[in-house]
Structure formats: C-alpha cells, structure tokens
Amino acid sequence: MSKIWTLIFDWAEVWALLIPLAVLLRFGKQPPINKYIIVYISISLPINLLIDLTWKLRTILPANLNSNNYLYNLNAIITFILFTLFFQKLRQPFMQVVKSIIPIVFVVFLIVNFGFYEKFFDYWKFSSRLLAIEAGLLLFDCLLYYFNKVKDENETLNVHQSEFWIVTGLGIYVAVNFFIFLLYNELTRLASPFAVQIWNVHNISYIVFNLFIARGLYESGRK
C-alpha cells in the first residue's frame, strides 16, 4: 500500500492538473479572465510531465539531461507571469500602484539572481531563491485581492465567483510552500531523506491548489 501512495504522490504534479482540465472539457465556456488559468494548465502539464519523467529516469539519462532544475525554473517564471496577468485583470481599485510594482520586483530579481548568483540551467542546484520569491510575491498578490474585497464597499467575497476559488487555492499553495522552497537547498544538503519526504507536503498542497482551480472553473462554466 505504501508503494501505491508513493507512486500517487510522485506523479501528483502531473495528474493533479488533469482535475481542472476535466472540468474544462466538461464546461468549456469560460470568461476571458480565465484564459490565463487555461494557459497555465496547458503549459504546466507537459512541463510537469517532463519534470517527473526526468526525475524517474535520472539514473539512465545522460549526465547533461538528468536534471529537472531548469524545468522548475521555467515553470516558476511562466506561473508567475500568467497569474500576474490574471491579477492585473481583476477589478481591484485599491493599491493598484503596489500591485503594478510586483512584476517589476520579479524581473529585477531574475536579472540580478541569474546574472550574478545562480545559473538558470544549473544541473546540480535547485533554485530555492526563485521559487521562494515567486511564492512570496504571488502570496502578496493574494493578500491584496482580499484587502481589496474588504476595502471596497461594493464588493463581497462570493463563493460563486471563479476568482475567489482560484485565488484561495493559489494562496494556500504558496503559503504552504514558501518556506519549503526557501530552505529546500539546505535540506537536500543536510538532510536529503527528509527533503524527499517534505516534498510530499508540496505535492499534497498542489493537489489542493488544482482542486480549487477546478472549482473556480466549474463556477464559471456552469453559468
């Protein structure tokens, strides 16, 4: 039984995306703002498949092809861009200037980090910095979303709005994983078995994230 659960969690980054994809196939009609979420699902599915295949086949692949670190880097950047565009399209009258600064901070970080400190195509080192800064900035976006809901007297938190479920799922995912991403390099260096085990927490939160996305797409599609 433990081997079955291990197999399920090992491939969670792939099959979890099939949940919102199934909802899309059932409820194809979505509002324009959800196009960024649809693109996220469409791009992340093949990237995550490559990530897991590379990890599973790492012992038989050539040395220059047996690392998936650059795929995590690529996916992090794509995820940040798409969800930033998603947040930019939400009607949020308060703190618009602050929200517009977030992508600038991310771009500056990318230039400085990969220009001076890390290599994007690093075969040996997981970029804890990149995934942590991505999670931190997206969490800030989620908090701004709720702040706007509280400040705007004409707005309420509506569980029948797709954006509510998508933002909440994203918020849970990045909040759970911020410190995992931030400390993962040190964990792999000092306590490798524990690092492998704690990644299951990431996988569980990713499943929850996709369940929330699926609920959001369902709320839009059934209208």
Side-chain angles (χ1 to χ4, degrees):
M1 182 63 70
S2 61
K3 290 183 178 180
I4 295 175
W5 282 111
T6 299
L7 183 64
I8 290 172
F9 284 132
D10 283 352
W11 290 94
E13 290 173 290
V14 177
W15 65 257
L17 286 162
L18 299 178
I19 302 172
L21 182 60
V23 175
L24 276 175
L25 293 176
R26 174 64 179 83
F27 301 97
K29 187 177 181 181
Q30 295 289 326
I33 192 172
N34 283 353
K35 67 182 180 182
Y36 302 110
I37 309 305
I38 296 171
V39 173
Y40 164 76
I41 296 169
S42 302
I43 294 178
S44 290
L45 183 57
I47 292 178
N48 285 356
L49 179 60
L50 283 174
I51 285 173
D52 284 356
L53 282 174
T54 302
W55 179 54
K56 287 293 186 180
L57 301 176
R58 64 191 181 280
T59 57
I60 62 175
L61 288 172
N64 61 338
L65 296 175
N66 67 358
S67 172
N68 58 16
N69 292 332
Y70 74 96
L71 291 170
Y72 274 111
N73 294 342
L74 178 63
N75 206 23
I77 294 172
I78 291 173
T79 299
F80 180 83
I81 291 172
L82 291 172
F83 277 95
T84 296
L85 290 171
F86 172 78
F87 280 109
Q88 293 289 341
K89 293 297 182 180
L90 291 177
R91 192 182 71 84
Q92 296 179 302
F94 298 100
M95 300 185 73
Q96 282 292 109
V97 175
V98 174
K99 191 169 69 169
S100 65
I101 292 174
I102 293 175
I104 298 174
V105 172
F106 188 70
V107 170
V108 171
F109 165 80
L110 289 178
I111 294 171
V112 173
N113 186 61
F114 291 112
F116 299 97
Y117 297 103
E118 294 184 327
K119 295 178 181 179
F120 187 88
F121 295 96
D122 194 326
Y123 292 106
W124 310 109
K125 187 179 179 183
F126 179 85
S127 183
S128 287
R129 292 174 185 168
L130 172 58
L131 272 74
I133 196 72
E134 177 223 13
L137 292 176
L138 288 178
L139 179 59
F140 191 63
D141 267 327
C142 294
L143 295 176
L144 283 180
Y145 167 81
Y146 290 112
F147 176 80
N148 273 273
K149 289 291 185 181
V150 172
K151 291 289 292 183
D152 192 344
E153 296 178 355
N154 298 318
E155 287 285 332
T156 58
L157 287 174
N158 187 346
V159 296
H160 296 297
Q161 289 181 328
S162 64
E163 67 188 55
F164 167 80
W165 291 99
I166 293 169
V167 173
T168 301
L170 177 64
I172 293 170
Y173 173 72
V174 294
V176 168
N177 288 287
F178 175 76
F179 286 106
I180 293 177
F181 293 152
L182 185 65
L183 302 173
Y184 198 73
N185 268 339
E186 287 300 307
L187 287 175
T188 54
R189 186 174 64 86
L190 300 174
S192 182
F194 178 70
V196 172
Q197 291 301 316
I198 203 171
W199 198 254
N200 285 332
V201 176
H202 164 271
N203 289 342
I204 293 170
S205 67
Y206 193 68
I207 295 168
V208 173
F209 175 34
N210 280 278
L211 286 170
F212 274 72
I213 291 178
R215 177 61 187 270
L217 296 175
Y218 167 78
E219 290 294 343
S220 293
R222 72 186 183 92
K223 294 178 180 178

